[in-house]
Amino acid sequence: MVKITYIEADGRSYEIEAPEGWSLMEAAFHNGVEGIEAECGGACNCATCHVYIDENYLDKLPPIGPTEEEMLECTAAERRPNSRLSCQIELTAELDGMVVDLPETQI
Amino acid sequence: MSDAGIVIVGSGHAGLSTAETLRRRGYPGRVRLVGDEAGLPYQRPPLSKQFLKGEWDETRLIQRNAEFYVKHDIELIQGHRVIGVDPDHYSLELDSGEQLTWDKLVLTTGSRLKRLPVPGEGAEGVYYLRTLAQAKALRAALTDVTRVVVIGGGFIGLEATAAFVDAGKQVCVLNGADTLLPRAASALVARYMASLHQARGVQIENGIAVAAINAHNGRVLDVALQDGRTFPADIVLVGIGVEPDATLAEAAGLKCKDGVLIDELCRTSAPDILAAGDCARFRHPLYHRLVRLESIQNAIEQGKHVAATLLGDSEPYAAVPWFWSDQYDTKLQIAGLADGHDLEVIRGDEQGGSFSVFCYARRRLLAVESINAPADHMISRRLIQSAISPTADDAANPNFNLRDLL
Ligand SMILES: Cc1cc2nc3c(=O)[nH]c(=O)nc-3n(C[C@H](O)[C@H](O)[C@H](O)COP(=O)(O)OP(=O)(O)OC[C@H]3O[C@@H](n4cnc5c(N)ncnc54)[C@H](O)[C@@H]3O)c2cc1C
Ligand code: FES
């Protein structure tokens, strides 16, 4: 299991454990983290699973693919250097303990 | 108002979205979500994609975990069908015989499959795909078959075709219409999708009429067409579309017309009964006509609207419809509704497999279908929402930045 902390824009936080192989979006979605909408259920079609990643973990993530790159240009909240779409990040043991900030809005 | 609260019938995408939004926005009363499928509410789109391909297991389809419903005090009544609604007495009856009362009722009963009206349709080896139970049965059947016949050239048939091909099956698509995706896509996109499948060895027969499914010892043998041809099949998947499930609404005397009619705040013709999702038909302010949508976007957003109306804080529903379909490595995304278009303009590189088709009617942009062009899709949604139509020349010009119009 991989432990992730999600922090909502209003400061509320959730500590969630999810199996390796799931996406960073799914772990949040199953547990009802509100700041992730994930309308398309992880198909990289909606950009409503936008998150800001803890800088210390950025280089442990898979690179941004071409579809994610285009979708990140269209997020509702501003794109920052640490912006990612959480459905495109698979949980691995290396990500254990990661903290993820959620944007003000997804839509 | 009594303490009966809100009862939602149908725990699919629209029903769950309604329940969740009520809680997120602080509704203090009782919320009950009734559904006739067993288990926790799950996502449908992956059934014909990741799940059918065997990439995802069942737990990944589940929307929210069991604790979520407890934490948010959403009472799930799963595995029970509502068999009748009495609008005058604010009550409904479950198939168990139990009566529930409600202050407000929400119908999110979705769609039901159209059955193929030919002899042999019930033979062993004939599958349909709408529910998790059906997807599980189909997935299990795939292990020892080689030849699959798919009847229907719509999204679900084609997504399943892609999954079958990936699993090494020999697939033939028998399509009643003259092109694939007849109501859903432009001619250009339909042709492109056909070429994707054909390049992988899929046989596509358009404009056919199925006469019968022949069986031997109760098990499917082949599919016979009215023109006399037969197509051998180890299994058959029927995907010829759905119709709105408005059974309850019709029986309760609510106004229906190929779906439950709702107004811009998602209210039906009966007081205190609302509806959303696949089962509902409404006048879309961007298209000025009655529409019924079969999409996740509409189910989720209309569900949110229902919740807002129930909380007395709603604005007319005017969201741009959008939809996606993933087949092989190709991502098709559709913004808007293309029906009635008179002009198709290509932006991008059709040969290179990354382009969009802009569909216009009398110079007004109605819809944009994007193949592996997600930025076009996202920008198009905003253009359509704001009723901005790029000229055909600008749309076709890859050096013209569409964002500049926003
Ligand atoms: C295989 C498949 C793939 C799809 N892929 C996509 C996609 O990629 N993108 C996209 O946008 N859309 C897709 N769709 C369409 C999308 O799933 C539907 O538009 C969406 O599920 C509609 O949500 P809904 O809540 O209105 O209805 P549903 O999800 O159909 O839910 C309705 C629920 O109500 C239940 N119900 C009905 N009557 C009663 C009753 N009397 N009592 C109790 N329960 C009842 C039904 O059993 C069902 O569980 C797909 C659909 C399928 C089947
Ligand atoms: S869930 Fe839709 S893009 Fe990530």
Side-chain angles (χ1 to χ4, degrees), chain B residues 393-404:
Chain B
D393 285 347
D394 286 343
N397 176 3
N399 297 319
F400 179 84
N401 189 348
L402 293 168
R403 267 178 225 266
D404 292 346

Side-chain angles (χ1 to χ4, degrees), chain A residues 26 29-31 43 45 70, chain B residues 60 64-65 331 333 375:
Chain A
E26 286 174 282
F29 194 80
H30 278 244
N31 289 282
N45 272 307
E70 285 194 33
Chain B
R60 288 182 80 169
R64 308 287 194 185
N65 61 22
K331 180 178 286 305
Q333 294 168 296

Side-chain angles (χ1 to χ4, degrees), chain A residues 38 40 42 44-47 49 87:
Chain A
C40 77
C44 208
N45 272 307
C46 69
C49 64
C87 68

Side-chain angles (χ1 to χ4, degrees), chain B residues 47-56 139 162-163 166 328:
Chain B
L47 295 180
S48 51
K49 308 180 183 78
Q50 296 94 328
F51 184 76
L52 196 56
K53 286 190 204 161
E55 292 170 358
W56 284 16
R139 189 166 108 164
D166 283 346
Y328 309 109

Side-chain angles (χ1 to χ4, degrees), chain B residues 56-133:
Chain B
W56 284 16
D57 62 15
E58 208 178 316
T59 48
R60 288 182 80 169
L61 299 174
I62 301 300
Q63 298 247 28
R64 308 287 194 185
N65 61 22
E67 294 90 84
F68 173 84
Y69 297 93
V70 177
K71 184 169 153 205
H72 295 279
D73 196 14
I74 296 169
E75 295 171 53
L76 265 185
I77 306 176
Q78 287 291 87
H80 283 289
R81 190 163 181 81
V82 174
I83 56 171
V85 167
D86 182 344
D88 297 332
H89 296 97
Y90 287 74
S91 70
L92 60 78
E93 185 177 355
L94 297 180
D95 55 5
S96 60
E98 194 185 343
Q99 305 270 337
L100 305 183
T101 54
W102 40 269
D103 297 319
K104 306 275 182 186
L105 182 70
V106 182
L107 297 175
T108 49
T109 47
S111 311
R112 63 170 168 241
L113 289 159
K114 282 190 193 148
R115 310 220 52 121
L116 186 69
V118 302
E121 177 262 351
E124 197 188 323
V126 178
Y127 294 87
Y128 286 83
L129 183 51
R130 175 87 197 160
T131 63
L132 174 58

Side-chain angles (χ1 to χ4, degrees), chain A residues 8 25 53 64 78 104:
Chain A
E8 303 268 12
M25 177 281 283
I53 302 282
I64 299 177
E78 65 161 339
E104 200 80 52

